[in-house]
Amino acid sequence: MIKYDISDKLTDMVEHLPCSFQKFRDVESIIKIVDIDGRAQVRDFSEDIERMLGSKMKSVKKLVSDRKYTANLLNFQSHLMNLNATLPPTSCFFLLQFDYYNSMLVNTMDDDGNFIELGGEFPLEENEHFNNIPVNTMQSDVQVPTNVYNKDPYILNGIYMSEALNDVFANNFKKDPTLTWQYFGSSSGFFRIYPGIKWTPDSNGVAAFDCRNRNWYIQAATSPKDIIIVVDISGSMKGLKMTIAKHTINTILDTLGENDFVNVIAYTDYVRYVEPCFQGTLVQADLDNREHFKVLVDDLHVKGEGKVAKAMKESFKILNEVSTKGQGSLCNQAIMLITDGAMEDFKDVFEEFNWPDRRVRLFTYLIGREMTFADNTKWIACNNKGYYTHISTLADVQENVMEYLHVLSRPMVINHNHDIIWTEAYMDSVLFATKAQSLLLMTSVAMPVFSKKKETLSHGILLGVVGSDIPLLEVMKLAPRYRLGPHGYAFLITNNGYILAHPDLRPLYKDGKKLKPKPNYNSVDLAEVEWEDIDETLRTAMVKGETGTLSLNVRASVDKAKRPMFLTNDYFYTTINDTPFSFGMVLTRGHGQLMFMGTVSVEEGLHDLTSPDLSIAAEWTYCETDIDPHHRKYSQLQAVIRYLQGKEPDLECEYCLYNLLHPPKTTIYSTTEAGVETAFLGTRSGIIRLTRYTGMETRVAKKFLTPADKDNLFTMDHFPLWYRLAMENPPGRFLYYMPVEDNDNKDKTGTVGLPCDPWLSSIPSLVTHLFILSSSLQVGRFFGEVDGSVMTALITSGMFKQVSLYDYQGMCRSGHSHSSSARCLRVYVLYVRVGVCVCVCISLKQTKITLMLTLYSLAHKAKKVDALQPCDTEYPGFVYDSSIRETNSLIKCGRCQKMFVVQAVPESNLVLMVVQADCDCSRQYSSITLEPKEVKYNASVKCNRMKSQKVRRRPNSCHAYHPKVSPLPSSLCNIELITVIDYRVSIAGMLKLK
C-alpha cells in the first residue's frame, strides 16, 4: 500500500514529461549522432596548444633578439670593458638626471602635492584582460626589492639598458593580444614588468618579491643540478651562527626545482644525514622534499668538534654513485659547505675525488664575523671551480646565496645557448593577493640574457632573464571539457609527471573563511589523481613523451567527491612539441563518446535562440570574442545571434554552432500539478530551456539554475551535476536529485517537520538511496549518521555496497567543528533520452507525502577545520544494487528489537524505508560517517615513498662544463672583492652612457 501510493503520486507529478519527449521524438530525424574520434581530437587539441605556446616562445625570443635592445646591451658592455681598468676601486660617481618609474612609488605624492622621486604620474586603468587589475599597457615599470637600494649605480645602469624593452613588450602584446605579463629579471635584482602596475607591498610595507628567487629565473639561469648541502654543527656554531646557517640552507633549498636533486648532511666529528631515510642517495628537490628538509634542519643542534674531511668524502661518494647509476640530474654537481671555519687538511680529499677535472663545484659559506679561517674556506672554493662568500648577518644570506647561480650559468653563457625553459604550475602571489583567482595557476616561459661581447666571453656574464606568464586556464580553454562529454576532461603534465592542469587538481584549501595554497600544490603527481592507473602505465607513457591510448575502469566521484560512479575511460595522450609537457584527454564510454550534429536551418536556429525561455552556457566558447576587442562586449548568446544574422561576419563561430543548432525546439509544457516549481531541459550543447511555475517569493529552490548556482549550470569546468547523474541513470527511469545550497551563515542540517498520517507516528522516516530528501529527521544528512544500525543491516543484506575512494591531496586536521543550516526541501526529477535531460523541480513540502528520500550516494557536511596539513586519505562510498528490490530485517538492540522494511520505488532511483522508531540501537551500533580517514604508513613504507624516483624525462639540454671555464683566481673568489669590481664596472658604464 505504501509503495504504490508513493509511486503513483510521483508519477502524477511528472506525468507531463513524456509529452515533452514526444515533441523531442518529432525532431529526432534531423539529428545526427556521431562518434568522437579520440585520436583525431587529441591531435587537434595538442596542435592548438602547441601553436599557442609556440607564439609565447616567439614573444620571449623577440625580447632577447630585438635589435635596439641588443644594441643597447652591446654598447653598455663595451663601456664596461673599455673603462673597467681606468677607475680606481674607491671611485664613486652617480648617474645624474636619470629617473624611472618605480612600481612601488608611482602616483605617490608628498605633503605638498608633488610627485615623489621615482614616483611620477603613471596612468593606470582597469583592464579586463588582466582580470580588472589597474595596468598601463603603454609602458612597463620597475620593481626593486626592499633589500636592494633603488638608486644603486648598477641598478640604474641596468634599468637604463633595459628601457628599450618597452617597445618590444608593447609590440608583442599588439601582435598577440592573448599575452599576459612580460618581464625582465635582472641579475642585479630589479624586475621590469609589462604592463606597468602599482606594486602592492606586504602588510609591513616591504617588497619581498625578488625575481632572482623565482623558478623561471633560476631554471633559465642554470641547468639541472645535483646539490649536497654540508653544514657544520660543531660546538663553535652555537647561537647566531647556527641561526644564520639554517637560514642559508633554507635559502639554498628555495633555489632548487623539480629538475634538481638534493641531500643535506650535518657533521661534527662524524657524518649525520639530516634525514636518515635518504642516506647515500639524492632525492628530487620537489616542494614536498624541500619542505621536509626545512623541518628537519630546524631541529639541528650543535655539539662536538667539526671535521670537514669526512663530510667531503661522503658527499663525493654520493655524487659519484648517483652519476654511475644514471640517477639524479646527470648535469651540474655541487657541494655547498656551510661552516664557521675549515681547520683540517682537506687537500687529499679533493685530489682523490675531484681533481684534475673538477667536475664537482665547491661553494663555501663562511658564517659569523670571525675571519680566522677565511683563507682555508676560500681556498676550497677557488680550487674547485666554486665561489666563496662571507655571511656575517641574516640580512646577508639572500644576496650571497644567489651568487652560486651565476657561477653555474657560466658554461651556458659561454656557449651562447638561449635555452627556453618552462616552469611547473605555480601560484602568482601578486594575483592571489588581489583575489584575481581566474589567473591563479600559471606557467612561465623564460630565456637567459647574457653578454655577447667577445671580450667578455670567458667571463660568462649573465645579465638576467626575460619571460612571460601563461595562465593555465587560457591554455586549457583550447581543450574545453564541453567537447568531451559529461565526464570527459583534458589535462597537462610536466616531464616529471607533475600536474599542470587537471580537473581534480585542488591547489587551495579553506582555512576558516580564507582560501590558502596547499604547501604541495604544484608537486601533485599524475598517479595521485589517476590513482586507478595502478601500474602507472599511463603516467610512464606520458612522461616519456609517447603518443597512444589506454582504457581503464575507474571509480570516479562527482558532487565534491560525495557520489561514487563506476566508469570506463578511454585515455588519449601525446606530447606538446618544444615543451616539457604532455597532453592527455579522457572520453567516457557511452554518452561521452557521442556528439550531436544539428541540421536545422539558420532561420529555425535563430527563432529558437531568441526564445525568452532559452539560455546557453555563458562560459562556453561558441564564438571567439576575445580576439577582437570590439567583440568583447558581446555575451556568447549575443555573439551567436549577431553572427547568424550576418551582423558580425568577422566573428569566428564554427564548431559549436553545429551542436547548438539541434533541437532546442523541445517544449516544456506547463503543468498545474501542485508542488512543481520549475521544469527545465538541458542538452549537451549547453542549452537550458527553463519554465518557472512559481515566483521567487514562493519558490523553495531560490538559487537553483540562477547565475550563482554554478554546480547546476553548464560551466567551463563541468556539466551540471543533475546532467552528469542522469547520463548514468538507466534509460526510462526517473532520477531524483536534491542539490545543496551552501550558506556559511546558516545551519545546514536543520529539521524539516512534515504532516504525518497517524499510522506513521511511530516511525521516523521513509527513505531512498542514502541521501535524505524529506523526513522528520535532518534533511540532507547521510543516513548512516542518522541510524547506524539500519545502515549496517542494509550493507550486510547487499542492498548497498561500500567501496573505498582515495584522496592523495587531502588536508588532515587536528580538530574540527560542524556548521550546518536548515534547508528547505526540494527534489528534482530527471529523465534522460539521447543525451537530453528534461527535469521537473518538485517541492515535497507542498505535498501530502511524508517520506524521507535519499540519493544513491552520500553527503559530506560542511566543516570548519584548523591545523591542516597535507596527507593521504581514504573515504567510503556507497553503491546501490538495483537487483535487490526490497528487504526487511529485525535488529536486536539490548532489550528491544527494531524492525525496518525497504522497498524500491518503481521507475526511479528512490527507495522507501519504514523504520520502527521506539527502539534505540545507538549504544550497540555506532553511526557510519563519511569522514575521510588518514592513511597511516609505517616507517619503511613512508621512507620508500619519500625517496622513490618515479620515471621522469630529463630536460633536453645540460650545460655543466665548458673548457674555457677555468678556476677563478683567488682574488675573484671573494664576494667582497667582486662587489668592488662590480662598482667599477657600473661607474664606467655610467660615465660613457651619459
Side-chain angles (χ1 to χ4, degrees):
M1 175 181 174
I2 300 173
K3 172 182 177 181
Y4 290 109
D5 285 348
I6 294 293
S7 61
D8 291 346
K9 185 64 177 178
L10 294 176
T11 300
D12 291 342
M13 297 174 79
V14 296
E15 63 181 357
H16 65 289
L17 290 183
C19 299
S20 296
F21 275 101
Q22 182 59 50
K23 183 67 176 178
F24 179 76
R25 293 189 189 99
D26 293 341
V27 295
E28 272 189 294
S29 59
I30 64 173
I31 300 172
K32 183 170 68 172
I33 301 176
V34 298
D35 288 325
I36 297 176
D37 185 341
R39 290 180 176 84
Q41 188 86 297
V42 77
R43 183 187 63 243
D44 292 344
F45 284 163
S46 63
E47 288 176 352
D48 289 344
I49 293 174
E50 192 174 304
R51 277 192 292 270
M52 177 193 185
L53 299 184
S55 69
K56 311 309 176 193
M57 286 190 282
K58 289 180 181 177
S59 298
V60 170
K61 288 178 180 177
K62 289 177 183 176
L63 295 175
V64 175
S65 61
D66 177 76
R67 290 184 178 180
K68 183 178 179 182
Y69 175 48
T70 303
N72 240 8
L73 283 179
L74 293 177
N75 187 40
F76 177 57
Q77 293 157 14
S78 177
H79 294 317
L80 299 187
M81 293 304 301
N82 291 339
L83 295 181
N84 183 31
T86 62
L87 296 173
T90 56
S91 297
C92 184
F93 295 88
F94 295 95
L95 182 58
L96 302 176
Q97 306 301 319
F98 175 65
D99 287 335
Y100 63 92
Y101 288 108
N102 187 305
S103 61
M104 282 274 287
L105 305 176
V106 293
N107 300 329
T108 302
M109 294 184 177
D110 58 22
D111 295 338
D112 297 327
N114 301 316
F115 288 109
I116 65 173
E117 191 176 16
L118 305 182
E121 184 177 2
F122 194 74
L124 297 169
E125 293 183 1
E126 290 188 358
N127 190 303
E128 184 179 358
H129 180 66
F130 294 92
N131 220 68
N132 293 321
I133 295 174
V135 298
N136 184 331
T137 56
M138 301 302 295
Q139 67 182 106
S140 62
D141 59 2
V142 175
Q143 181 265 352
V144 182
T146 299
N147 65 324
V148 176
Y149 177 42
N150 60 22
K151 296 193 74 174
D152 183 298
Y154 201 66
I155 293 290
L156 292 177
N157 276 327
I159 293 173
Y160 181 91
M161 170 270 293
S162 64
E163 281 284 312
L165 286 173
N166 269 320
D167 293 338
V168 192
F169 287 145
N171 288 335
N172 280 344
F173 186 55
K174 184 177 181 181
K175 292 179 180 179
D176 183 2
T178 66
L179 278 173
T180 56
W181 309 102
Q182 302 175 73
Y183 41 80
F184 168 70
S186 166
S187 60
S188 58
F190 74 83
F191 179 65
R192 181 176 291 279
I193 183 171
Y194 173 91
I197 61 172
K198 173 74 173 179
W199 198 274
T200 304
D202 63 21
S203 57
N204 298 316
V206 174
F209 177 91
D210 189 327
C211 62
R212 297 168 297 178
N213 293 337
R214 307 298 287 182
N215 281 346
W216 53 266
Y217 184 98
I218 294 167
Q219 292 182 35
T222 63
S223 294
K225 46 198 173 293
D226 296 332
I227 300 290
I228 295 183
I229 303 172
V230 179
V231 58
D232 181 356
I233 57 170
S234 63
S236 62
M237 288 285 290
K238 65 182 178 180
L240 179 60
K241 288 183 181 179
M242 197 63 216
T243 301
I244 296 173
K246 290 178 179 180
H247 185 38
T248 302
I249 295 172
N250 291 342
T251 305
I252 294 172
L253 289 171
D254 286 337
T255 67
L256 306 180
E258 61 183 36
N259 289 320
D260 304 319
F261 289 78
V262 67
N263 206 337
V264 181
I265 293 175
Y267 73 91
T268 54
D269 54 350
Y270 66 95
V271 174
R272 169 190 167 188
Y273 284 86
V274 171
E275 172 53 78
C277 171
F278 299 159
Q279 182 170 346
T281 189
L282 296 175
V283 294
Q284 194 169 9
D286 59 30
L287 193 59
D288 281 340
N289 285 334
R290 297 201 307 266
E291 293 303 314
H292 183 64
F293 275 126
K294 289 180 182 179
V295 172
L296 298 174
V297 165
D298 191 53
D299 291 334
L300 289 176
H301 300 285
V302 300
K303 64 178 180 178
E305 180 183 357
K307 295 186 178 181
V308 72
K310 292 180 180 179
M312 289 290 103
K313 285 183 179 180
E314 185 70 13
S315 300
F316 281 116
K317 287 178 181 178
I318 295 173
L319 294 174
N320 288 340
E321 186 171 347
V322 296
S323 180
T324 302
K325 292 181 178 180
Q327 298 174 346
S329 70
L330 296 183
C331 194
N332 285 295
Q333 291 191 328
I335 298 172
M336 311 298 206
L337 175 61
I338 302 169
T339 181
D340 64 344
M343 297 180 288
E344 58 185 300
D345 186 9
F346 31 72
K347 182 177 179 181
D348 292 344
V349 178
F350 303 131
E351 288 178 342
E352 180 182 356
F353 291 100
N354 205 35
W355 292 353
D357 294 332
R358 294 176 171 85
R359 294 284 181 174
V360 179
R361 295 179 183 270
L362 265 293
F363 296 89
T364 55
Y365 301 87
L366 182 64
I367 305 298
R369 298 187 181 279
E370 296 85 355
M371 301 288 290
T372 307
F373 301 102
D375 290 341
N376 288 350
T377 311
K378 185 190 303 181
W379 184 93
I380 292 174
C382 293
N383 286 277
N384 290 278
K385 290 189 177 180
Y387 204 71
Y388 157 77
T389 62
H390 178 210
I391 303 177
S392 57
T393 68
L394 284 170
D396 296 337
V397 173
Q398 183 72 48
E399 198 72 23
N400 290 348
V401 165
M402 299 305 297
E403 292 296 331
Y404 93 87
L405 296 174
H406 300 147
V407 176
L408 290 185
S409 72
R410 293 179 68 207
M412 176 184 63
V413 174
I414 293 173
N415 278 328
H416 280 197
N417 284 311
H418 286 284
D419 288 341
I420 290 182
I421 64 95
W422 291 87
T423 67
E424 68 272 22
Y426 69 93
M427 207 167 289
D428 191 299
S429 57
V430 176
L431 294 176
F432 187 75
T434 63
K435 299 183 181 180
Q437 294 184 22
S438 66
L439 293 176
L440 198 57
L441 281 181
M442 322 277 276
T443 182
S444 294
V445 55
M447 291 180 69
V449 180
F450 42 74
S451 170
K452 295 184 178 181
K453 292 290 291 183
K454 292 181 179 180
E455 295 89 337
T456 64
L457 182 62
S458 62
H459 294 260
I461 298 175
L462 177 73
L463 300 176
V465 172
V466 294
S468 180
D469 289 345
I470 301 98
L472 288 166
L473 176 67
E474 298 300 317
V475 178
M476 298 313 293
K477 281 182 179 180
L478 299 175
R481 293 188 70 179
Y482 54 78
R483 290 182 59 176
L484 301 174
H487 304 299
Y489 55 90
F491 57 95
L492 279 170
I493 67 171
T494 69
N495 58 300
N496 290 293
Y498 295 143
I499 292 172
L500 273 175
H502 193 290
D504 290 336
L505 177 65
R506 306 189 310 276
L508 301 176
Y509 73 97
K510 198 168 185 179
D511 186 7
K513 293 185 178 181
K514 293 183 179 180
L515 283 175
K516 295 182 178 180
K518 292 181 180 178
N520 58 343
Y521 73 90
N522 63 354
S523 59
V524 177
D525 195 273
L526 180 64
E528 294 176 334
V529 292
E530 301 291 347
W531 50 269
E532 298 280 13
D533 180 27
I534 298 173
D535 297 326
E536 299 190 358
T537 306
L538 173 67
R539 183 195 181 280
T540 300
M542 293 188 67
V543 166
K544 289 183 176 180
E546 298 175 358
T547 297
T549 64
L550 176 70
S551 296
L552 290 174
N553 294 319
V554 302
R555 281 169 284 177
S557 61
V558 295
D559 195 11
K560 300 176 182 176
K562 292 181 290 190
R563 307 177 189 275
M565 306 183 77
F566 291 83
L567 306 171
T568 300
N569 284 345
D570 291 325
Y571 293 82
F572 304 85
Y573 52 86
T574 188
T575 187
I576 305 295
N577 293 326
D578 299 322
T579 75
F581 306 146
S582 292
F583 173 74
M585 183 189 86
V586 174
L587 294 177
T588 301
R589 298 271 178 92
H591 295 286
Q593 295 178 322
L594 302 176
M595 181 64 72
F596 285 113
M597 300 298 285
T599 57
V600 300
S601 66
V602 171
E603 290 75 17
E604 290 176 301
L606 272 172
H607 178 269
D608 289 320
L609 290 172
T610 54
S611 173
D613 66 345
L614 181 143
S615 63
I616 64 175
E619 296 181 8
W620 291 16
T621 303
Y622 299 92
C623 296
E624 292 287 352
T625 56
D626 287 339
I627 297 176
D628 187 341
H630 173 69
H631 296 147
R632 291 175 185 167
K633 61 185 178 182
Y634 298 130
S635 69
Q636 284 295 314
L637 182 58
Q638 291 171 332
V640 168
I641 292 173
R642 292 183 68 84
Y643 176 78
L644 293 176
Q645 291 173 338
K647 295 180 179 180
E648 296 287 351
D650 294 336
L651 273 169
E652 294 184 14
C653 308
E654 295 180 5
Y655 172 83
C656 279
L657 284 187
Y658 292 108
N659 305 289
L660 188 62
L661 298 180
H662 77 75
K665 290 175 169 295
T666 305
T667 302
I668 304 296
Y669 286 93
S670 63
T671 177
T672 57
E673 180 62 42
V676 175
E677 291 188 355
T678 304
F680 55 99
L681 171 148
T683 74
R684 177 165 170 161
S685 59
I687 292 173
I688 290 182
R689 298 199 78 154
L690 182 145
T691 301
R692 301 284 194 188
Y693 298 116
T694 59
M696 176 65 76
E697 67 282 354
T698 59
R699 203 157 63 234
V700 175
K702 297 183 185 299
K703 293 183 180 179
F704 186 70
L705 293 178
T706 66
D709 183 24
K710 290 287 188 179
D711 286 342
N712 292 299
L713 296 177
F714 292 91
T715 71
M716 179 64 65
D717 296 322
H718 63 256
F719 279 69
L721 182 57
W722 48 265
Y723 191 100
R724 298 182 69 184
L725 293 172
M727 289 297 97
E728 304 308 317
N729 202 45
R733 191 174 73 167
F734 292 104
L735 172 74
Y736 291 78
Y737 154 64
M738 185 186 75
V740 177
E741 291 184 1
D742 289 330
N743 189 333
D744 292 335
N745 299 320
K746 294 183 180 179
D747 184 49
K748 287 191 173 129
T749 55
T751 299
V752 177
L754 297 176
C756 296
D757 294 330
W759 67 272
L760 288 174
S761 60
S762 64
I763 62 175
S765 61
L766 300 170
V767 304
T768 165
H769 302 169
L770 301 185
F771 194 2
I772 300 172
L773 293 184
S774 175
S775 171
S776 58
L777 297 178
Q778 293 177 310
V779 175
R781 290 187 65 186
F782 170 52
F783 183 71
E785 296 175 343
V786 176
D787 195 327
S789 62
V790 176
M791 188 69 232
T792 300
L794 291 176
I795 296 172
T796 303
S797 70
M799 178 170 260
F800 288 94
K801 178 184 178 182
Q802 180 173 335
V803 297
S804 293
L805 300 168
Y806 296 92
D807 181 7
Y808 295 101
Q809 302 174 69
M811 297 293 288
C812 294
R813 58 191 178 276
S814 59
H816 68 274
S817 58
H818 296 282
S819 64
S820 54
S821 68
R823 257 197 306 266
C824 291
L825 178 64
R826 70 273 187 192
V827 60
Y828 296 89
V829 187
L830 301 96
Y831 189 92
V832 61
R833 179 179 174 83
V834 203
V836 178
C837 292
V838 176
C839 315
V840 178
C841 170
I842 304 169
S843 173
L844 294 178
K845 190 174 181 180
Q846 300 176 31
T847 71
K848 295 296 184 180
I849 304 173
T850 303
L851 65 152
M852 181 169 67
L853 301 173
T854 66
L855 291 184
Y856 278 112
S857 53
L858 320 169
H860 289 289
K861 291 182 292 182
K863 305 173 186 70
K864 292 183 178 180
V865 297
D866 55 6
L868 294 170
Q869 56 186 5
C871 63
D872 297 344
T873 60
E874 177 184 5
Y875 60 97
F878 293 86
V879 182
Y880 171 67
D881 185 350
S882 59
S883 66
I884 301 177
R885 304 298 297 169
E886 60 181 78
T887 188
N888 61 80
S889 185
L890 194 65
I891 304 172
K892 295 183 179 181
C893 303
R895 296 181 179 180
C896 66
Q897 298 182 112
K898 176 183 289 187
M899 182 179 69
F900 72 90
V901 179
V902 180
Q903 292 180 339
V905 178
E907 298 182 350
S908 78
N909 68 318
L910 308 181
V911 296
L912 174 65
M913 181 181 292
V914 180
V915 183
Q916 186 177 347
D918 57 359
C919 181
D920 183 7
C921 297
S922 59
R923 292 186 178 182
Q924 289 79 14
Y925 294 88
S926 58
S927 61
I928 298 175
T929 70
L930 304 174
E931 292 294 329
K933 296 181 180 179
E934 182 177 0
V935 179
K936 300 288 187 179
Y937 301 104
N938 61 43
S940 61
V941 173
K942 184 176 181 180
C943 176
N944 290 334
R945 283 169 57 89
M946 290 171 62
K947 70 179 182 180
S948 64
Q949 296 189 11
K950 292 178 178 288
V951 175
R952 59 184 294 270
R953 178 169 26 126
R954 290 184 174 86
N956 294 327
S957 62
C958 169
H959 308 286
Y961 175 78
H962 196 284
K964 293 185 179 180
V965 177
S966 57
L968 289 173
S970 179
S971 61
L972 294 180
C973 284
N974 189 334
I975 184 65
E976 288 87 5
L977 295 178
I978 286 291
T979 302
V980 172
I981 293 172
D982 282 347
Y983 272 93
R984 290 176 59 194
V985 169
S986 61
I987 294 165
M990 285 189 294
L991 291 177
K992 281 292 183 180
L993 287 172
K994 293 305 290 183

